[in-house]
Amino acid sequence: MGSQLPYAADAESPLKPAELQILRSQYEKEGEYVSLQTKFNYAWGLIKSSNRAEQQEGVRLLSEIFRSSPDRRRECLYYLALGNYKLGNYAEARRYNDLLLDLEPSNLQAGSLRGLIDDKVAKEGLMGAAIVGGLAVGAAVVGSLIFKGAQRKR
């Protein structure tokens, strides 16, 4: 994967715990009056985490910035897309990523993230189709067994 899509490296490279702790400490130190930059940096670190709860918190913080600071929306788009991708929210990931690509069609990170999103959606779509197909076959087998059993009793 790494050589195929080098620009989406953020998808799989978490910060070291000590690095994330530095961002967390700064965020907590600023408390109620946390600056947008500190909040963004902490959210970025959380999204890069491999811990789902931290990723969710990162997306929540970035969503707050996205809603409250129109001048910072563009820089939030990629990490909102990435965070939602890591959480398995592929429709949301695609929505944010497409917004960024509308603004910056040649953005290499967003372009490679689009490939990752499309691959996951395709794989999960195939798995979903296989599961539904398997259930249909199973139902048909059970149905035929019941039907044969009913015919024998006559």
Side-chain angles (χ1 to χ4, degrees):
M1 182 187 96
S3 62
Q4 183 183 5
L5 297 166
Y7 296 104
D10 281 339
E12 303 301 331
S13 58
L15 295 180
K16 294 178 182 135
E19 294 169 327
L20 183 57
Q21 185 54 45
I22 290 169
L23 296 173
R24 179 180 287 116
S25 295
Q26 182 63 36
Y27 177 79
E28 289 171 352
K29 186 174 104 180
E30 292 183 25
E32 177 181 342
Y33 303 103
V34 66
S35 72
L36 275 177
Q37 190 60 51
T38 297
K39 190 175 192 177
F40 179 88
N41 292 347
Y42 182 46
W44 166 81
L46 290 169
I47 283 173
K48 290 177 63 71
S49 172
S50 35
N51 177 295
R52 185 171 177 81
E54 289 178 343
Q55 294 165 358
Q56 289 171 325
E57 178 66 4
V59 167
R60 187 188 69 74
L61 292 172
L62 275 178
S63 295
E64 287 176 6
I65 295 170
F66 186 82
R67 282 191 306 274
S68 67
S69 303
D71 55 322
R72 303 293 294 262
R73 285 185 178 155
R74 192 209 55 77
E75 60 190 304
C76 290
L77 287 173
Y78 175 73
Y79 289 103
L80 281 166
L82 180 63
N84 278 290
Y85 166 78
K86 290 179 78 173
L87 291 168
N89 302 330
Y90 303 124
E92 282 296 293
R94 181 178 277 148
R95 186 172 70 87
Y96 286 118
N97 203 55
D98 286 349
L99 286 171
L100 179 55
L101 285 168
D102 287 346
L103 295 171
E104 299 177 13
S106 61
N107 185 307
L108 296 175
Q109 283 183 309
S112 63
L113 183 55
R114 173 189 273 167
L116 289 175
I117 294 167
D118 290 347
D119 287 349
K120 282 286 192 182
V121 168
K123 282 180 189 170
E124 290 198 0
L126 288 175
M127 282 195 296
I131 290 169
V132 169
L135 290 174
V137 168
V141 169
V142 169
S144 70
L145 291 174
I146 292 172
F147 182 71
K148 284 181 183 180
Q151 284 184 334
R152 283 186 195 155
K153 289 182 180 179
R154 287 185 190 175

